[in-house]
Amino acid sequence: MGDASNTQPSGHMRRRPNVTFETAAEHATPRVPAAGPFQRVGDLRQRLVGQRYESATHIVVCEADTFLGMVTIEDLLFAAADTQIESLMDRGAPVVAPGVDQEVAAWRAVRHGKSAVAVVDGQGHFVGVIPPHRLLTVLLSEHEEDLSRSAGFLKTTSVARATSEERVPRRFQHRLPWLLLGLGGALLAADLVGSFETHLQLNVMLAFFIPGIVYLADAVGTQTETVVVRGLSLGVPMRRMAGRELLTGVLIGMALAVVAAPFVWWRWSDAGLALSLGLSVFAACSTATFAAMMLPWLFDNFALDPAFGSGPLATVIQDLLSVWIYLSITTFVMS
């Protein structure tokens, strides 16, 4: 710790463990004043003079290397010289394990109304103190990250800003590959429609509804994708969204089908066409929800930015599925 004394914790405390990024141990420092529980306030105040610590806002109270509590510097300066440290010690001082996330450590201090947190291992050995200036850094960093997530970014504000302000060549490089993939999907869609040429020639009116089916599937998929990307960016697990989104997609598909089928039957007096369109709308919207939900999740798991890739890729998949579903159903129903 900060000075050599028979009342300070043993050398075990001075060794800072291997730390992981964004853990409590990373922010903890053992370079703080230490005292034994039965040491007198006057003796400790004299010993602190001339010593340099990384933080002197709190005095750690330990017996050997076992953490007992903490005393604030204000209480130490106010107390009478013959008072024992034990009587000033806060035994309920906030404590966290070395591997606890930094945000948890910071909020534990806030909930306890304290400006520092002790880091103690599983055996009760003192590791260090997260001092006030480091807790403030953690809170500011986590606040920035939360604001970034609430805006729909998966990364920090700095990363999102860099993406928004990057030069034209970088924008071109990031976006073109996904759009080339979309172009390939459009060519594949043309081949797919061509494979149903005979069926379309027998009933040209079927071609009139292809843009509508594709649009509805894309619209439903875009809504789902927006909800899922925002949820993932806010830390909502996919298992909490999957069932609800899938059920919502099915219900939307059913509602659109119930509206579309009677209208087509009334407008064109073709029961087969109406039934085909209703079934196609239902199936296309349901599958679009699934595709739009899974792609952002996959991008997030592979640490890819869904802002660039999931939209174009989801559109390609949804369009191909929608066209295939529509033409397959109409072929089966109207043959």
Side-chain angles (χ1 to χ4, degrees):
M1 305 257 287
D3 55 326
S5 169
N6 58 0
T7 59
Q8 75 172 27
S10 65
H12 170 84
M13 300 168 52
R14 298 177 186 168
R15 295 192 300 271
R16 202 170 170 188
N18 294 330
V19 296
T20 304
F21 183 64
E22 292 194 341
T23 62
E26 181 196 8
H27 298 281
T29 175
R31 294 171 50 202
V32 295
F38 305 112
Q39 187 171 0
R40 293 195 312 144
V41 166
D43 295 338
L44 178 58
R45 286 200 293 240
Q46 290 181 0
R47 183 163 60 81
L48 295 181
V49 176
Q51 300 293 330
R52 186 174 185 84
Y53 304 95
E54 185 167 351
S55 175
T57 61
H58 292 75
I59 293 85
V60 176
V61 183
C62 294
E63 192 167 22
D65 60 356
T66 301
F67 176 80
L68 300 178
M70 289 196 294
V71 177
T72 65
I73 191 67
E74 294 86 355
D75 289 342
L76 181 72
L77 295 176
F78 180 78
D82 59 349
T83 304
Q84 287 189 337
I85 295 297
E86 183 182 31
S87 63
L88 303 177
M89 178 177 62
D90 179 10
R91 296 182 180 273
V95 173
V96 295
V100 165
D101 185 87
Q102 62 177 13
E103 184 175 14
V104 175
W107 279 110
R108 186 160 299 176
V110 171
R111 285 195 296 270
H112 283 79
K114 306 297 182 180
S115 59
V117 176
V119 179
V120 179
D121 67 16
Q123 289 72 46
H125 300 144
F126 176 75
V127 174
V129 170
I130 305 179
H133 67 279
R134 293 192 180 181
L135 283 176
L136 181 59
T137 300
V138 170
L139 288 173
L140 287 174
S141 172
E142 294 292 339
H143 178 63
E144 181 187 63
E145 183 177 346
D146 290 343
L147 286 177
S148 301
R149 285 178 171 174
S150 66
F153 302 126
L154 293 180
K155 304 297 182 183
T156 61
T157 299
S158 59
V159 175
R161 184 178 294 114
T163 302
S164 300
E165 297 178 352
E166 63 187 2
R167 296 182 179 275
V168 172
R170 291 291 293 174
R171 294 172 186 258
F172 181 81
Q173 179 183 350
H174 283 155
R175 300 181 189 183
L176 183 61
W178 299 109
L179 297 176
L180 289 174
L181 182 62
L183 177 60
L187 298 176
L188 184 59
D191 280 339
L192 181 60
V193 173
S195 66
F196 290 88
E197 180 180 2
T198 303
H199 180 59
L200 290 172
Q201 286 177 345
L202 295 176
N203 195 338
V204 179
M205 186 177 291
L206 295 177
F208 300 165
F209 295 97
I210 292 178
I213 295 291
V214 170
Y215 163 75
L216 287 175
D218 285 345
V220 172
T222 298
Q223 291 178 332
T224 297
E225 185 181 351
T226 301
V227 171
V228 170
V229 169
R230 285 180 178 176
L232 291 173
S233 68
L234 293 170
V236 180
M238 177 58 74
R239 63 179 178 273
R240 291 183 58 185
M241 296 185 285
R244 297 174 184 177
E245 275 303 311
L246 287 174
L247 181 57
T248 301
V250 170
L251 292 176
I252 289 174
M254 290 176 61
L256 292 173
V258 167
V259 173
F263 179 81
V264 171
W265 193 1
W266 169 78
R267 177 65 178 80
W268 285 279
S269 301
D270 190 331
L273 179 61
L275 178 60
S276 298
L277 191 67
L279 292 175
S280 299
V281 168
F282 170 72
C285 291
S286 300
T287 55
T289 299
F290 179 78
M293 182 176 58
M294 294 306 297
L295 286 173
W297 176 71
L298 291 174
F299 272 73
D300 183 56
N301 280 351
F302 287 99
L304 297 173
D305 190 349
F308 292 132
S310 63
L313 187 57
T315 300
V316 171
I317 294 174
Q318 289 162 17
D319 289 353
L320 290 173
L321 281 174
S322 301
V323 172
W324 179 80
I325 287 171
Y326 172 63
L327 294 177
S328 297
I329 289 177
T330 55
T331 300
F332 177 77
V333 172
M334 302 183 68
S335 295

